[in-house]
Structure formats: structure tokens, C-alpha cells
Amino acid sequence: METSKLSRTNYLAIERTRLANERTFLAYFRTFIVLLSSGLAIINLDILDKIEYLGYALTICSPILLVVGVVRYLKVKNNLQRFYTEDFSS
């Protein structure tokens, strides 16, 4: 991305959007970690054997959530690069 042709306002708006995209990905990742660790804890604790199915469900859902987060992050990142290089390169 060539910043010399962008106004300061536009450049800062792009940076805010890029940082928001990264924060959103980190939220997906945090949720993945919590679901995975909660699922494994439920599965491994004998006292929670009545809800062991919930542990398996959380453990299965967590990688799916991570994949959704990665795909969304990459899609928004590519759209930002494509849109702003096409609009401001001329």
C-alpha cells in the first residue's frame, strides 16, 4: 500500500480498520482457547461425569471457531488491501 497518495485521514482510517480486524481475530482466538480448555477440563474431571457430553461438544466446536476466525481475518485483510490499493493507487 502506498501511503504517499493517501491523505492522513484516509491512512489513519485504514490503520484503525486493520487494528480492529486484528483485535477481532484475537477475540476469536481467546474464545477458542477458553472453549478448548473448558471442554478438556470437563472431560477429565470425574466429578463432572454427568455433563461429559458438554465437554466433548466444546472440544469439537473450538477448532471450528478457530477456523472461522482465521478465514474471516484473512478475508477482511485481503479486502482491505485490494480495495485501498485499487482506489488510491491512481
Side-chain angles (χ1 to χ4, degrees), residues 14-28 69-81:
I14 293 168
E15 287 299 307
R16 281 191 304 271
T17 305
R18 186 183 60 78
L19 291 172
N21 189 35
E22 290 176 6
R23 281 191 307 270
T24 302
F25 171 71
L26 290 174
Y28 274 103
V70 168
V71 167
R72 184 187 178 284
Y73 170 75
L74 293 174
K75 184 177 178 182
V76 171
K77 181 180 175 182
N78 290 336
N79 285 340
L80 275 174
Q81 288 175 347

Side-chain angles (χ1 to χ4, degrees), residues 50-70:
K50 292 182 182 179
I51 59 169
E52 191 172 347
Y53 65 90
L54 180 62
Y56 287 113
L58 291 174
T59 306
I60 291 170
C61 288
S62 60
I64 296 169
L65 183 70
L66 181 63
V67 169
V68 168
V70 168

